[in-house]
Amino acid sequence: MGRDVRVQRARQVTVALESRFENSSFAGYPPYGSAAEELADQLARLNGTLERAIKRFRECHAGTPRGLDGVAVFDDEVDAFLAATPQPQGAQRADEAALDARLRCDLRAQATPSATHLPLDVIRRQFGLSTVEFDAFLLCLAAELHPGYGRVFAYLNNDLTRQRPTRAFLVETLSTDWSSRLETQRALGRNSALFRFALLTARAPNDELNGELAIEPLLLDFLLGQRVVNERQAKPTEEMGLRDLLVHEEERARLEDLVTYLLANEANAFHSALVIISGAPGSGRATAVRAICRELGWVARIFDDALAAGTVAQALRDARLAGAIPAFKIATEQTEERCELTAAIAALATLPSPLTFLILDADVAPRLPQTSEARVLGVHLAIPSAHIRTLAWKRALREHALHASELDLQTLAAVYPFTVGRIYAAAHAAETESRLRDASAGTRELAAACRSQTNHRLDKLAQPLPLRYRWSDIVLPHDELCRLKEIANAVRNRDRVMEGWGFNEKVSSGLGVNAIFFGPSGTGKTMAASILAAELGMAIYRVDLSRVVSKYIGETERNLDALFEEARRSFALLFFDEAEALFGKRSDVKDAHDRYANIEVAYLLQRMEGFEGVTILATNLRKHMDKAFLRRLQFAVLFPLPNVEQRRRIWQQVWPARAQLAPDLDLGFMAERFELTGGHIRNVAMMAAYLACEDGAAIAMKHAVAATRREFQKLGRATQPSLFGEYAALLQDVADD
């Protein structure tokens, strides 16, 4: 029978069967009540196909001799298995019987309410399987469901060891002549939906014709009634629209334009669009994908590792089974090579999916290659502004039942230019810590949670300083204290002034905040830097010059570059103590050493100017600092020697609450008589505590006087008894002890 005649005959039979349905010949067939009922009906129909294949096989092959039990499959065994399963009812002719059974299955599936999950019908419709593809899929499924089918397949393969279908087996079974054989073989080729969507996998990929075909366990679970195919890769759909996204307004407008374009072209299956959403991790790319799909009336299924693992076909399959739009993530390391990124974009643009998303880990938007197969569109999400970050903090704290003041949230948003994802991660970390401590999370806990979200190696180049001090701990003149608070305010309002008010268009230098503290040793420069860091919720690192400065040419510059890069990643405050060692004046060039020393200073000047963090320099020798540095510094704070009243306050605050003080400890005398800085007063207090502890007594005046004498001796200052006035006799008491 020629192909045209066969096609004409099939159309006639189909018309006749549809006519019979219209005349209520099929009206009595009820809808399917369950997935198992549909599966049984399809397998019963499939048995007719196997019977015809067995008949042709027996006509072409001689019977197997008796006495080969366990080695061969006999005719009566195959007949008994097929006879034990329900047979399709219909017309007498073979072709009419096949079409009759197929139409009956189709009509029952169409009549089944949508609430009844029919996996086979879903697979056929979602992947657009042809008749041959669907029957081939059923044959492979049958081998997974009953060992009897394996025996039948071994019988048709004439090989007891081959109990699974192959491409050659499917062509042989589903074809009736050479013409249909070629058509079937084309339908089961590499471009078949069965293999493009990984509905079938070859156990021997190198043997395309004779390699056994199987169904993945996850897909088999779906066919047996489980709704979710790949729970591990599935992400919950967020009920968030484009207006709810925490992104810049121009980015929101771009996303809205994208949705408008996709809606306008939805009738044309989106023209096979590939949409690239790029940005830093946590910038809201996945949320944007879900919001776009929600605007389109779809859901998104995001796959984190499908590209790296080579499981794109399985991902497409899982997305279609869930009725979702696939979105693929490319990890950062995959974007480092430009050729790999371009190849990945080109591959995704040709996927058999009307709309595909690519989530790209990149700080800059990639060049979008246009292909003949698909339209490639792109939206880049930048780091959110301070205002958006503040809104994200409010939303994150509300969802985690945490509380913070408006000023604290503005400070966190200004100090830590986090993405929305990292803000949520920090809020979650603060909530977890508060539950472990069984206490509410405050500003300190939120700042600590932010610091825990940073990834850096700054401790290899600098020394972390404790954050134990607050404004009440430092004693300074009013003007100097106001300047310190101005530095904190500058950090809080930097984004608003620079970006919101446009000052970044008027300045050519970096957007960082820097200051210099100068004054005698012990006047509180390090304490002030620590207070600023604590006030802003930042970590503070004191630069270790021994790890930075090197005698080898070029090594110091490399260390400085690494220092500023790690500081950028950590969002920490950099504190250069004894800054004149690095930022000293450039000298006249007399030899090569002077030349390279000046190069180091010039490089440090450029690097610091481009640093967008917070930098504080401290020096006892302001006149030794290079004038180019002083010109570029935004703040300068003088730390003078304390006067009598200030020394009195320092003496009162230097003692811990648990320290035992004797009644005769005359702090007023100590403040008036001895001109000491806060650092020296702290040293005296600690020495007095050691002396008192040795005596087993409270800290008395004799211990304070003796400790003061030790401090003066260390400084090379006079220690005559007359200096101690009415308490000079106590020096002898300590000596006698």
Side-chain angles (χ1 to χ4, degrees):
M1 182 183 296
R3 179 179 182 276
D4 295 338
V5 176
R6 191 173 60 255
V7 171
Q8 183 178 4
R9 175 57 180 163
R11 289 175 177 171
Q12 292 175 351
V13 172
T14 303
V15 171
L17 290 175
E18 291 176 348
S19 176
R20 289 168 56 190
F21 172 72
E22 294 175 355
N23 294 327
S24 300
S25 299
F26 284 80
Y29 287 105
Y32 289 121
S34 65
E37 187 176 346
E38 182 205 24
L39 179 60
D41 209 14
Q42 291 286 5
L43 290 178
R45 179 186 63 80
L46 188 66
N47 287 344
T49 302
L50 289 175
E51 284 183 339
R52 292 193 300 274
I54 290 170
K55 181 179 179 181
R56 292 195 305 272
F57 177 81
R58 290 174 180 173
E59 292 174 352
C60 299
H61 297 80
T64 303
R66 297 292 179 177
L68 296 179
D69 293 340
V71 179
V73 182
F74 300 116
D75 296 352
D76 53 355
E77 179 182 353
V78 173
D79 294 339
F81 171 75
L82 295 177
T85 58
Q87 300 298 313
Q89 300 176 359
Q92 297 299 319
R93 291 178 54 85
D95 51 358
E96 289 189 13
L99 289 173
D100 193 341
R102 186 182 304 279
L103 183 58
R104 184 189 69 252
C105 293
D106 291 346
L107 294 175
R108 293 192 67 183
Q110 293 175 12
T112 302
S114 58
T116 303
H117 182 54
L118 300 178
L120 288 175
D121 188 58
V122 170
I123 286 179
R124 181 175 54 185
R125 287 185 291 101
Q126 288 290 346
F127 301 101
L129 298 184
S130 66
T131 300
V132 173
E133 290 173 333
F134 185 63
D135 286 349
F137 180 79
L138 280 177
L139 285 169
C140 294
L141 175 62
E144 306 287 348
L145 300 178
H146 197 294
Y149 281 105
R151 301 284 289 179
V152 174
F153 298 161
Y155 178 86
L156 290 172
N157 283 322
N158 200 22
D159 186 346
L160 189 60
T161 63
R162 301 174 63 186
Q163 299 192 8
R164 290 183 177 275
T166 64
R167 274 191 175 93
F169 170 84
L170 294 175
V171 171
E172 191 72 28
T173 303
L174 299 176
S175 303
T176 57
D177 54 26
W178 277 105
S179 179
S180 62
R181 178 189 299 273
L182 294 177
E183 292 180 12
T184 304
Q185 194 161 353
R186 282 195 296 267
L188 299 177
R190 294 181 180 180
N191 292 326
S192 168
L194 295 173
F195 301 102
R196 284 186 293 134
F197 294 104
L199 298 177
L200 298 180
T201 56
R203 295 192 172 184
N206 295 330
D207 190 356
E208 183 173 342
L209 193 60
N210 296 306
E212 290 187 347
L213 302 176
I215 296 176
E216 284 192 359
L218 288 173
L219 183 56
L220 184 60
D221 291 341
F222 174 82
L223 291 166
L224 295 179
Q226 294 187 7
R227 296 299 300 269
V228 178
V229 173
N230 200 333
E231 188 70 28
R232 179 180 62 86
Q233 290 181 323
K235 300 285 180 147
T237 300
E238 296 180 359
E239 290 298 325
M240 183 178 293
L242 292 179
R243 301 305 305 175
D244 301 319
L245 295 180
L246 295 173
V247 296
H248 297 280
E249 286 304 318
E250 56 270 20
E251 295 171 356
R252 192 192 316 278
R254 173 67 173 161
L255 292 172
E256 291 175 347
D257 291 343
L258 177 64
V259 170
T260 302
Y261 169 81
L262 294 175
L263 286 174
N265 292 274
E266 187 174 9
N268 297 325
F270 303 114
H271 290 304
S272 297
L274 171 64
V275 179
I276 300 178
I277 307 294
S278 62
S283 58
R285 299 160 302 160
T287 305
V289 169
R290 296 188 180 103
I292 292 172
C293 289
R294 184 171 182 264
E295 298 288 342
L296 297 173
W298 292 77
V299 294
R301 179 67 60 85
I302 297 176
F303 301 93
D304 292 330
D305 54 359
L307 285 170
T311 56
V312 174
Q314 292 90 326
L316 287 175
R317 176 198 67 202
D318 296 350
R320 286 211 174 186
L321 288 178
I325 297 295
F328 298 94
K329 276 189 176 182
I330 292 186
T332 303
E333 56 269 16
Q334 290 180 278
T335 65
E336 295 177 353
E337 292 293 337
R338 187 72 184 181
C339 58
E340 294 183 6
L341 176 58
T342 303
I345 294 176
L348 290 178
T350 59
L351 288 179
S353 177
L355 177 61
T356 307
F357 286 93
L358 171 61
I359 298 176
L360 188 62
D361 285 354
D363 293 334
V364 294
R367 181 177 61 86
L368 304 182
Q370 300 304 324
T371 67
S372 58
E373 294 86 356
R375 172 70 173 164
V376 182
L377 310 169
V379 176
H380 178 68
L381 301 182
I383 299 295
S385 64
H387 173 67
I388 295 177
R389 293 196 295 270
T390 303
L391 296 178
W393 273 112
K394 291 180 180 179
R395 186 180 295 180
L397 295 188
R398 184 169 59 250
E399 293 182 9
H400 288 85
L402 301 175
H403 303 280
S405 67
E406 184 76 17
L407 180 61
D408 291 335
L409 294 184
Q410 291 178 359
T411 301
L412 291 174
V415 171
Y416 295 96
F418 282 175
T419 60
V420 176
R422 292 181 76 180
I423 289 174
Y424 270 80
H428 178 72
E431 180 192 20
T432 302
E433 182 65 22
S434 66
R435 289 181 178 178
L436 290 176
R437 295 186 301 102
D438 195 21
S440 59
T443 305
R444 290 189 180 184
E445 289 73 21
L446 288 174
C450 288
R451 293 192 292 271
S452 70
Q453 297 301 309
T454 61
N455 181 21
H456 62 89
R457 295 179 296 177
L458 189 56
D459 52 353
K460 296 185 179 298
L461 298 168
Q463 175 190 6
L465 295 181
L467 299 174
R468 63 171 65 102
Y469 300 116
R470 294 295 181 267
W471 290 119
S472 59
D473 295 319
I474 195 167
V475 177
L476 283 175
H478 177 73
D479 287 347
E480 279 66 30
L481 191 60
C482 288
R483 289 192 182 95
L484 289 178
K485 294 184 178 181
E486 288 171 2
I487 297 174
N489 293 332
V491 176
R492 290 193 185 99
N493 301 310
R494 175 175 46 183
D495 284 7
R496 184 180 181 186
V497 170
M498 290 295 180
E499 297 180 11
W501 291 1
F503 270 83
N504 56 347
E505 302 172 2
K506 298 294 184 180
V507 294
S508 58
S509 58
L511 303 180
V513 174
N514 47 55
I516 183 170
F517 297 166
F518 56 91
S521 177
T523 50
K525 297 184 292 296
T526 302
M527 176 185 284
S530 178
I531 291 173
L532 278 175
E535 176 73 10
L536 296 170
M538 305 175 69
I540 178 173
Y541 283 81
R542 179 166 52 194
V543 177
D544 189 344
L545 296 181
S546 66
R547 303 182 191 180
V548 175
V549 179
S550 174
K551 64 180 180 180
Y552 298 105
I553 295 175
E555 190 68 23
T556 300
E557 288 87 339
R558 281 191 289 270
N559 293 338
L560 288 171
D561 185 70
L563 173 70
F564 281 103
E565 178 61 24
E566 294 299 328
R568 181 191 65 80
R569 296 173 57 189
S570 66
F571 308 105
L573 187 152
L574 271 186
F575 179 61
F576 288 88
D577 201 4
E578 309 295 340
E580 67 275 1
L582 275 176
F583 299 84
K585 289 183 178 180
R586 284 167 283 193
S587 59
D588 295 334
V589 177
K590 297 179 180 180
D591 53 26
H593 294 288
D594 293 336
R595 176 172 173 268
Y596 283 110
N598 289 342
I599 290 176
E600 288 180 1
V601 176
Y603 175 80
L604 184 56
L605 175 63
Q606 295 175 3
R607 196 65 177 83
M608 182 176 172
E609 189 176 21
F611 182 58
E612 296 188 358
V614 182
T615 310
I616 294 179
L617 283 61
T619 179
N620 304 334
L621 305 169
R622 183 184 184 186
K623 63 181 180 179
H624 290 175
M625 296 290 295
D626 192 289
K627 293 183 179 179
F629 280 110
L630 297 178
R631 179 179 64 82
R632 288 170 170 82
L633 294 173
Q634 300 169 347
F635 298 91
V637 183
L638 172 65
F639 287 74
L641 292 172
N643 57 29
V644 174
E645 181 59 31
Q646 291 166 352
R647 290 198 298 269
R648 181 179 289 108
R649 289 175 55 194
I650 295 173
W651 275 109
Q652 292 171 348
Q653 295 177 194
V654 75
W655 309 104
R658 296 192 298 272
Q660 299 180 11
L661 305 181
D664 70 332
L665 185 59
D666 191 348
L667 299 181
F669 174 84
M670 300 293 293
E672 293 178 4
R673 180 58 63 98
F674 306 114
E675 295 183 359
L676 296 172
T677 64
H680 295 312
I681 292 174
R682 181 194 60 203
N683 292 341
V684 170
M686 290 187 64
M687 177 58 69
Y690 284 129
L691 294 174
C693 188
E694 182 67 21
D695 291 344
I699 302 173
M701 191 63 184
K702 67 175 183 178
H703 303 123
V705 169
T708 303
R709 184 180 182 183
R710 296 287 188 272
E711 189 69 14
F712 276 18
Q713 291 173 339
K714 182 179 69 176
L715 297 175
R717 294 169 60 175
T719 58
Q720 294 87 349
S722 60
L723 179 66
F724 300 92
E726 59 188 277
Y727 294 103
L730 295 179
L731 294 174
Q732 186 63 38
D733 293 343
V734 175
D736 294 340
D737 293 343

